[in-house]
Amino acid sequence: MKLPVSWRTSAAAAVATATLLTGGSIADAAPKADVEAAAAPDIPVANVKAHLTQLQSIATANGGNRAHGRPGYKASLDYVKAKLDAAGYTTAIQQFTSSGRTGYNLIADWPGGDTNQVVMVGSHLDSVSSGPGINDNGSGSAAILETALAVSRAGYQPTKHLRFAWWGAEELGIVGSRYYVNNLSSANRAKISGYLNFDMIGSPNPGYFVYDDDPAIEKTFKDYYAGLGVATEIETEGDGRSDHAPFKSAGVPVGGLFTGASRTKTAAQAAKWGGTSGQSFDRCYHSSCDTTSNINDTALDRNSDAVAHAVWELSE
Ligand code: DTR
Ligand code: CA
Ligand code: ZN
Ligand code: ZN
């Protein structure tokens, strides 16, 4: 007989916490009760695209970009924060300085859950100064925003505590997320049971790459894609080139998804994923053409649903 999640024993929770604080992975810590994990809802890709349309409008109204230190970045942050405040999140803006300009991280906590076991989900919200940054990284920012809103719509009450983050100044060198991690006390850092990063998840000529840093988180994503019948590859283009790097350096289990940037799709990859071989995954990477037309809707939809799947599975 499957017990509902809410019947987890306190002993199992104590084991979970102890395991995590001694550096166990998320999966090791999950109590082994015979329970039915709640299934994540479908994330409507139309909703994700509506956020991208808003971010595009913001860039267009602010010099064509959403870069650190420019009006378009703060307007993007205000847009995301307003949605989260209206959905019942506890939000906070963390300020920092980079290259002589003020930067901002947005942290949003979903009330409830064990605050000794925090599942964090993050994406950088800034673009480069040369364009609107809709794939890089409106795609990740919009997908985690819509997942956070889905948590609210569902009234989801997971065992672990959920925290979402939109980082500033990633394009200047992973500045905002590193500032956040460096300013955590060691006690609060130890409470983060995992960090999930989403940076470029809607590339126009997409690949399906999974970070291979933490085995349990990697398995969560690979199992999800296997269920869709979509092949995945290990992410190698980045290896530390995004906001998961400061968390990994601090000993936090990390994972994430990526659809590719300037590397070229091979014939073998095109055979399994479709798209165009001999062409980069995102021809508009860091360019002015990284607009709302620079998105593959199928990849954005699949990855948005994968974000929700991982959030539900890893926070149960
Ligand atoms: N650093 C990201 C783009 C990027 C390039 N390789 C990877 C691998 C994994 C995540 C992201 C990336 C940026 O330009 O914002
Ligand atoms: Ca969907
Ligand atoms: Zn970039
Ligand atoms: Zn990026």
Side-chain angles (χ1 to χ4, degrees), residues 17-146:
T17 303
T19 306
L20 283 178
L21 292 180
T22 53
S25 79
I26 276 182
D28 300 341
K32 299 289 184 271
D34 180 18
V35 293
E36 186 79 32
D42 171 70
I43 300 300
V45 70
N47 292 8
V48 182
K49 286 172 66 77
H51 298 313
L52 294 182
T53 299
Q54 289 294 326
L55 295 178
Q56 176 71 63
S57 300
I58 287 167
T60 302
N62 290 282
N65 70 73
R66 301 180 305 101
H68 163 74
R70 310 290 181 84
Y73 177 76
K74 187 61 170 56
S76 300
L77 191 101
D78 292 343
Y79 169 76
V80 175
K81 185 178 184 295
K83 291 284 184 185
L84 294 162
D85 287 340
Y89 280 80
T90 304
T91 59
I93 293 179
Q94 180 183 46
Q95 282 194 13
F96 59 88
T97 301
S98 182
S99 302
R101 295 170 184 245
T102 302
Y104 307 90
N105 293 325
L106 173 62
I107 311 298
D109 284 89
W110 179 240
D114 179 0
T115 53
N116 289 309
Q117 301 180 81
V118 180
V119 173
M120 273 198 85
V121 184
S123 289
H124 75 87
L125 185 58
D126 63 309
S127 75
V128 290
S129 55
S130 54
I134 299 304
N135 184 38
D136 183 19
N137 183 37
S139 62
S141 296
I144 72 168
L145 171 59
E146 191 57 28

Side-chain angles (χ1 to χ4, degrees), residues 124 128 136 170-171 285-286:
H124 75 87
V128 290
D136 183 19
E170 187 272 348
E171 299 290 8
Y285 175 58
H286 285 186

